[in-house]
């Protein structure tokens, strides 16, 4: 089974086992991501309904593409600009093309759940240390209120005309 998937503003024809390079997707090597924007699906020569389909992929690596040189020149004006660009890419291995139920669960959720208790344990000692410091008294907002209550400056009288 194959699918046409849109990611990063481009379209890719993918099938299970394919490797593709797409524009950067957040995640680390080994994480599983699901590509949900499926434009078309098919099996052999038949076109199938793409609603409810999800493409499951594993991130192989985060890398960068080849350098592209951008050179601007205007004749007879001594104007030359040379610039380079390397696009950030993500290498994906397509695991499965199928229903959302069959897609592999994300591996990202489990490490975040395990990391949360560690973060709470680190945050707890910091909270205990905070009361030891004497808090500086906060300034009241009264000066702003007083400034608003003052009368506006008197307008200057127009100069008198001598006839």
């Amino acid at each position: 089974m194959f699918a046409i998937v849109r990611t990063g503003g481009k379209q890719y024809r993918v099938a299970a086992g394919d490797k593709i390079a797409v524009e950067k997707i957040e995640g680390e090597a080994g994480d599983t991501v699901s590509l949900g924007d499926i434009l078309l699906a098919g099996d052999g020569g038949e076109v199938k309904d793409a609603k409810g389909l999800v493409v499951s992929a594993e991130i192989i690596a985060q890398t960068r593409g080849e350098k592209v040189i951008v050179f601007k020149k205007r004749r007879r004006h001594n104007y030359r600009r040379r610039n380079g660009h390397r696009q950030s890419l993500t290498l994906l291995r397509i695991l499965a093309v199928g229903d959302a139920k069959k897609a592999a669960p994300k591996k990202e959720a489990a490490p975040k759940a395990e990391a949360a208790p560690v973060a709470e344990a680190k945050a707890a000692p910091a909270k205990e240390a905070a009361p030891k410091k004497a808090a500086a008294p906060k300034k009241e907002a009264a000066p702003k209120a007083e400034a608003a209550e003052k009368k506006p400056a008197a307008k200057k009288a127009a100069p008198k005309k001598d006839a």
Side-chain angles (χ1 to χ4, degrees):
M1 183 172 198
F2 72 91
I4 306 294
V5 178
R6 178 172 42 205
T7 180
K10 298 177 182 68
Q11 299 174 7
Y12 302 91
R13 182 187 187 275
V14 297
D18 287 353
K19 294 179 183 178
I20 58 172
V22 299
E23 289 201 22
K24 185 165 176 71
I25 296 175
E26 293 300 320
E28 296 181 12
D31 290 347
T32 303
V33 295
S34 59
L35 306 174
D37 193 6
I38 298 181
L39 305 174
L40 181 85
D43 193 9
E46 299 178 21
V47 176
K48 296 196 174 193
D49 187 22
K51 290 184 180 178
L53 290 180
V54 174
V55 174
S56 177
E58 178 187 5
I59 297 176
I60 298 172
Q62 301 286 4
T63 185
R64 298 182 73 189
E66 292 185 20
K67 181 176 269 194
V68 177
I69 303 296
V70 179
F71 186 75
K72 299 178 183 179
K73 180 181 177 182
R74 293 192 183 144
R75 306 190 307 167
R76 297 182 298 272
H77 289 279
N78 195 23
Y79 175 85
R80 287 183 292 273
R81 300 291 181 265
R82 183 177 176 270
N83 208 346
H85 174 75
R86 289 185 72 188
Q87 186 68 36
S88 297
L89 301 173
T90 301
L91 298 178
L92 295 176
R93 178 183 298 118
I94 306 301
L95 300 175
V97 177
D99 296 333
K101 297 176 186 176
K102 294 180 182 178
K106 291 187 176 183
K107 293 182 182 178
E108 297 175 14
K112 288 182 182 178
E114 294 171 3
V118 175
E120 291 175 8
K122 290 181 181 177
K127 290 180 182 177
E128 293 172 4
K132 293 179 183 177
K133 294 182 180 178
K138 295 183 179 179
K139 295 182 181 178
E140 297 178 10
K144 292 181 181 177
E146 291 173 5
E149 292 176 2
K150 290 183 181 179
K151 294 181 181 178
K155 295 182 180 178
K156 293 182 180 179
K160 295 180 181 179
K161 294 183 181 178
D162 294 330

